[in-house]
Amino acid sequence: MVGAGLSGCLMAVLLARRGCRVRVFERRSDPRSRAADHGRSINLGLSRRGMTALRAAGLLDEVLAHAAPMRGRVVHLPDGGLGFQPYGTSDDQILRSVLRNDLNTVLLDAAEAMPGVRFEFDAKLTAMDKSKATVECLFQTAGGVRRVLSETVIGSDGAFSTVRAQMHRGEPADYHQEFLPWGYKELSIEAGPPDERRTDPEALHVWPADGGLIVAHPNADRSLTGTIFLPLAGPDSFETLRTTEAVSSLLADRFPDLHRLVPDVVEQFLSQPVGHLVTVRTAPWHHDDRVVLLGDACHAVYPFYGQGMNSAFEDCVTLDGCLDRNPDDWAAAFAEYQAIRKPNTDVLADLSAENFIELRDRLASPLFLARKNADLALNRILGNRWVPLYTMISHTTTPYADALRRSRRQNTTLAWLAGAAATGTAAAGAVLLRNLARRVKGK
Ligand SMILES: Cc1cc2nc3c(=O)[nH]c(=O)nc-3n(C[C@H](O)[C@H](O)[C@H](O)COP(=O)(O)OP(=O)(O)OC[C@H]3O[C@@H](n4cnc5c(N)ncnc54)[C@H](O)[C@@H]3O)c2cc1C
């Protein structure tokens, strides 16, 4: 396994459970022996898919012990007002926020405790040859280049995967990488007084603004970790905002309550590095029974639906299920895994890009809110026969592509309903409501 990040560690646990000997090589130092990384998202929203995968590996309770619940979004409006949008219609429809480092530590400890699993840190894959009888990997380590032979190599080495690049060498492979012209920086927001809604520790916080966006997750100690997204170049961008005056004036203008909540926000802004956001679509995800990719290595997405890690965890349990069904034919297992997952993660890439526009431009719009409220109201009335897209993505394990198809059907019906309401015809409304119940029943 190359990469001891989130998917690599979970997959190591699942493989060890089926009796495999697993060696995990990681280019960084052991995260348990150093401070958490800066410049990367340091807390993540765990939703139903991720929790279901962690439960399957017997690790959910331990992860949740480090997590803070998020019951909805607190929206910090550009005029200084505050709004709240619940995540769902029932108490179990909540997300959990967890520090990346805490999560990685739980997963590393669990994998390391399994018989047959060994980690090697500070070992960076630099080359891989899949043409030999056993796959040959070369790792750069402090002691020089190490040569390792393995029957199978799993690439869980993230969006800029070396395993993927080496596996695709000489093959007719597809690879599409798209950078968002926006980047991000992290901001730490101290815990506020207990009754301060502006730092509510049980919600995700969003500051939608013209040409900017901040999203902040709560931590178990009631502080928030924020991520400010801005264009990389052009006016009011990371490229141009380089002085205290420029940063201070932009933040005061776009995010009016931020200075009060984060007195040193300008210093933080100027001292943090800029992170980049990338979408990756690629195929194939495997080479025979010898190499296979997991998580961001095969489907990195923008973080705006909070699904990158969740879908990476879903990959692990899906692959584990494929190995169950094809115990003696790993090439077939890998092919089945790609066939199940790729159409869904392609849809997730689109949804994640669309959600950027939703968070940035629509969250403060009354029309958008009315649409969201109508969706939730219909879900309350019709239960499982009407499930908003956000609910299907975040609070169920419905495959992403099925969720999108069903949501499109619901939207068409909602448009009919709106038409009936506009014409004010009660009879038409009744017929449409009956149709609605029929159309969405059981789908
Ligand atoms: C700003 C931001 C916010 C996010 N928020 C969320 C969220 O709220 N919810 C969510 O579900 N997802 C979120 N994500 C996405 C999430 O972080 C990723 O999808 C997830 O980390 C993918 O897991 P992975 O195991 O595939 O890769 P990673 O966790 O990136 O792990 C890859 C590992 O491989 C190692 N590696 C790389 N190259 C090599 C090499 N050559 N040799 C050896 N080791 C190597 C790396 O050091 C790393 O440890 C967010 C992402 C960003 C950028």
Side-chain angles (χ1 to χ4, degrees):
M1 180 112 41
V2 182
L6 303 178
S7 63
C9 292
L10 182 61
M11 197 67 221
V13 171
L14 298 175
L15 286 171
R17 280 206 322 206
R18 56 177 60 248
C20 300
R21 282 193 308 124
V22 188
R23 281 166 83 183
V24 190
F25 295 86
E26 165 59 47
R27 72 170 173 196
R28 296 197 168 100
S29 312
D30 188 335
R32 295 166 295 185
S33 62
R34 67 191 163 88
D37 267 356
H38 285 287
R40 305 187 76 212
S41 78
I42 58 170
N43 57 11
L44 302 160
L46 192 56
S47 67
R48 179 66 63 89
R49 293 167 203 275
M51 289 192 254
T52 304
L54 290 169
R55 184 180 292 116
L59 297 171
L60 181 61
D61 291 344
E62 215 175 320
V63 170
L64 291 189
H66 297 273
M70 298 191 288
R71 301 184 190 284
R73 289 175 187 146
V74 169
V75 184
H76 299 244
L77 296 162
D79 64 3
L82 216 56
F84 181 74
Q85 299 170 5
Y87 271 140
T89 51
S90 62
D91 280 350
D92 64 336
Q93 292 182 347
I94 62 174
L95 307 182
R96 307 279 178 164
S97 165
V98 61
L99 285 168
R100 184 191 286 272
N101 208 52
D102 287 350
L103 180 56
N104 213 174
T105 297
V106 169
L107 295 172
L108 275 167
D109 286 346
E112 210 169 47
M114 300 292 288
V117 179
R118 244 174 63 204
F119 283 89
E120 295 197 27
F121 293 96
D122 303 301
K124 178 181 174 184
L125 180 79
T126 51
M128 187 183 83
D129 185 348
K130 61 184 191 293
S131 69
K132 304 216 164 129
T134 46
V135 185
E136 180 188 79
C137 292
L138 299 182
F139 291 94
Q140 186 66 52
T141 69
V145 175
R146 283 260 318 276
R147 179 170 166 265
V148 177
L149 300 175
S150 176
E151 277 171 57
T152 303
V153 172
I154 299 187
S156 50
D157 51 345
F160 303 102
S161 169
T162 306
V163 174
R164 177 186 65 221
Q166 297 284 312
M167 178 181 87
H168 284 166
R169 272 183 74 187
E171 305 287 338
D174 289 338
Y175 179 62
H176 180 77
Q177 169 184 291
E178 193 176 328
F179 274 92
L180 193 72
W182 285 43
Y184 70 93
K185 289 188 179 205
E186 279 161 18
L187 301 173
S188 300
I189 305 172
E190 293 292 307
D195 54 349
E196 171 59 282
R197 284 176 61 224
R198 287 183 189 274
T199 49
D200 183 344
E202 296 206 347
L204 182 89
H205 292 255
V206 186
W207 285 256
D210 185 19
L213 171 71
I214 300 177
V215 178
H217 288 82
N219 297 310
D221 67 359
R222 306 175 64 89
S223 65
L224 306 176
T225 303
T227 312
I228 178 163
F229 298 92
L230 288 174
L232 289 168
D236 298 336
S237 66
F238 284 125
E239 187 183 60
T240 53
L241 292 165
R242 291 183 181 276
T243 63
T244 302
E245 297 68 36
V247 174
S248 182
S249 135
L250 175 114
L251 296 180
D253 182 43
R254 309 269 167 92
F255 312 105
D257 61 357
L258 198 63
H259 265 291
R260 184 163 69 73
L261 301 177
V262 197
D264 64 342
V265 64
V266 176
E267 290 77 12
Q268 287 195 38
F269 184 100
L270 290 172
S271 64
Q272 286 288 324
V274 181
H276 295 93
L277 299 167
V278 67
T279 296
V280 168
R281 292 170 209 258
T282 191
W285 286 13
H286 74 105
H287 177 76
D288 299 334
D289 59 351
R290 322 175 100 220
V291 189
V292 68
L293 305 175
L294 274 183
D296 279 10
C298 43
H299 53 75
V301 297
Y302 299 148
F304 303 107
Y305 228 117
Q307 284 295 311
M309 160 192 66
N310 287 287
S311 61
F313 285 164
E314 222 175 25
D315 285 354
C316 298
V317 282
T318 304
L319 180 55
D320 197 43
C322 295
L323 293 173
D324 273 344
R325 288 187 289 281
N326 304 277
D328 302 319
D329 186 351
W330 280 31
F334 294 167
E336 186 188 335
Y337 156 71
Q338 178 182 337
I340 295 173
R341 294 297 291 157
K342 184 167 162 51
N344 287 298
T345 54
D346 282 350
V347 165
L348 176 62
D350 292 337
L351 291 176
S352 301
E354 278 163 27
N355 228 40
F356 172 51
I357 312 294
E358 177 166 320
L359 285 176
R360 192 190 60 181
D361 299 347
R362 298 191 196 129
L363 217 51
S365 133
L367 200 66
F368 170 81
L369 275 182
R371 171 73 180 76
K372 273 260 172 230
N373 288 337
D375 237 5
L376 287 176
L378 284 165
N379 181 228
R380 258 184 224 106
I381 297 165
L382 297 170
N384 273 341
R385 284 174 296 163
W386 185 286
V387 188
L389 179 61
Y390 186 86
T391 305
M392 285 189 274
I393 299 297
S394 298
H395 304 312
T396 76
T397 54
T398 306
Y400 295 116
D402 292 356
L404 181 64
R405 268 193 294 274
R406 180 172 169 179
S407 156
R408 284 187 175 144
R409 281 198 301 270
Q410 292 178 173
N411 284 345
T412 311
T413 311
L414 195 61
W416 288 354
L417 268 183
T423 54
T425 319
V431 170
L432 283 172
L433 208 51
R434 217 173 34 240
N435 278 347
L436 161 77
R438 273 201 210 114
R439 281 171 64 84
V440 296
K441 196 173 175 185
K443 288 177 180 167

